[in-house]
Amino acid sequence: QKEVEQNSGPLSVPEGAIASLNCTYSDRGSQSFFWYRQYSGKSPELIMFIYSNGDKEDGRFTAQLNKASQYVSLLIRDSQPSDSATYLCAVNTNAGKSTFGDGTTLTVKP
Amino acid sequence: GAVVSQHPSRVICKSGTSVKIECRSLDFQATTMFWYRQFPKQSLMLMATSNEGSKATYEQGVEKDKFLINHASLTLSTLTVTSAHPEDSSFYICSANWQGQETQYFGPGTRLLVL
């Protein structure tokens, strides 16, 4: 079992729809959780992080964390073609290192 | 804020040569820098963690004698790929943060092609 698992996709949604990206992790000691966006050929850029159970909203993005289920998700509302990218879930242990999932490729169709 | 640069952005070299990649934090003091490698269509794989002034901690399976990491100052870490071979061709990305900061700030990456 991978430490951080994501559906590879591709996930395709129409413009304006909600995109839902999911991530599960195996280490119950994980402390913090991150979502990064990576465009083809570029390095990752941070979208948001979440530490506590529940929802965290930032603009069109909402991260949801459920530590009991070891599950973290990212919702993108009003998806735009510019949101088309690979989304990486990363999980930190208390050692401070990040373990990344393989990423989910999202395509937003105009 | 929290800008990280890498140099060079792209390098092509002959098999057997060594290549040095620099990672700089431009507007903060990076107590920790991370080096990742990413092959096409794959995720980021952590190679090593480097703390300023101490030896890097390498992940399992990463040859420390082949991938030399130096973190001599709070704003600069270097990765040297020694005796590079075609299988070392990859996208090398550094990230950095400071003490107490969980978020990592990524550099733009260096694309290495070994012929």
Side-chain angles (χ1 to χ4, degrees):
Chain A
Q1 182 190 8
K2 290 184 179 178
E3 291 182 54
V4 179
E5 294 213 44
Q6 296 180 250
N7 291 328
S8 61
L11 173 65
S12 181
V13 301
E15 184 174 357
I18 295 175
S20 177
L21 304 161
N22 304 316
C23 173
T24 57
Y25 59 95
S26 60
D27 186 350
R28 282 196 173 274
S30 300
Q31 301 285 318
S32 47
F33 308 84
F34 302 82
W35 283 100
Y36 292 87
R37 177 173 59 196
Q38 187 175 26
Y39 291 112
S40 180
K42 304 293 185 183
S43 69
E45 53 179 329
L46 180 69
I47 298 174
M48 60 192 307
F49 58 86
I50 185 167
Y51 299 149
S52 304
N53 278 328
D55 295 359
K56 180 181 179 183
E57 188 173 318
D58 184 0
R60 296 186 295 112
F61 300 96
T62 299
Q64 299 173 316
L65 174 62
N66 183 326
K67 288 187 178 180
S69 300
Q70 295 174 244
Y71 173 91
V72 58
S73 66
L74 179 70
L75 298 177
I76 306 174
R77 288 182 299 283
D78 189 24
S79 296
Q80 301 297 309
S82 58
D83 294 326
S84 298
T86 297
Y87 289 80
L88 301 172
C89 170
V91 175
N92 280 23
T93 64
N94 56 13
K97 290 194 311 184
S98 289
T99 301
F100 285 80
D102 288 343
T104 298
T105 300
L106 171 67
T107 300
V108 180
K109 294 185 175 180
Chain B
V3 179
V4 176
S5 70
Q6 274 185 250
H7 178 81
S9 58
R10 185 182 297 267
V11 58
I12 301 173
C13 69
K14 291 183 179 179
S15 184
T17 60
S18 294
V19 174
K20 180 185 283 188
I21 302 170
E22 292 186 349
C23 177
R24 291 182 186 271
S25 57
L26 299 185
D27 53 1
F28 66 96
Q29 293 188 320
T31 49
T32 305
M33 286 184 170
F34 303 86
W35 286 96
Y36 294 87
R37 180 168 54 181
Q38 187 177 36
F39 292 107
K41 306 286 187 187
Q42 296 185 24
S43 190
L44 279 74
M45 296 302 297
L46 180 65
M47 300 174 68
T49 302
S50 107
N51 293 295
E52 185 266 339
S54 60
K55 288 184 178 180
T57 303
Y58 289 80
E59 295 299 301
Q60 193 172 8
V62 178
E63 300 174 59
K64 61 181 179 182
D65 294 330
K66 180 170 181 64
F67 299 99
L68 302 179
I69 292 171
N70 183 282
H71 191 164
S73 78
L74 283 171
T75 59
L76 174 64
S77 176
T78 60
L79 167 67
T80 301
V81 183
T82 62
S83 186
H85 291 284
E87 58 266 28
D88 298 322
S89 299
S90 188
F91 191 38
Y92 291 86
I93 310 172
C94 74
S95 70
N97 60 13
W98 55 90
Q99 194 165 6
Q101 170 63 252
E102 290 268 12
T103 302
Q104 294 180 30
Y105 297 90
F106 283 87
T110 296
R111 199 162 297 280
L112 170 64
L113 177 61
V114 185
L115 301 177

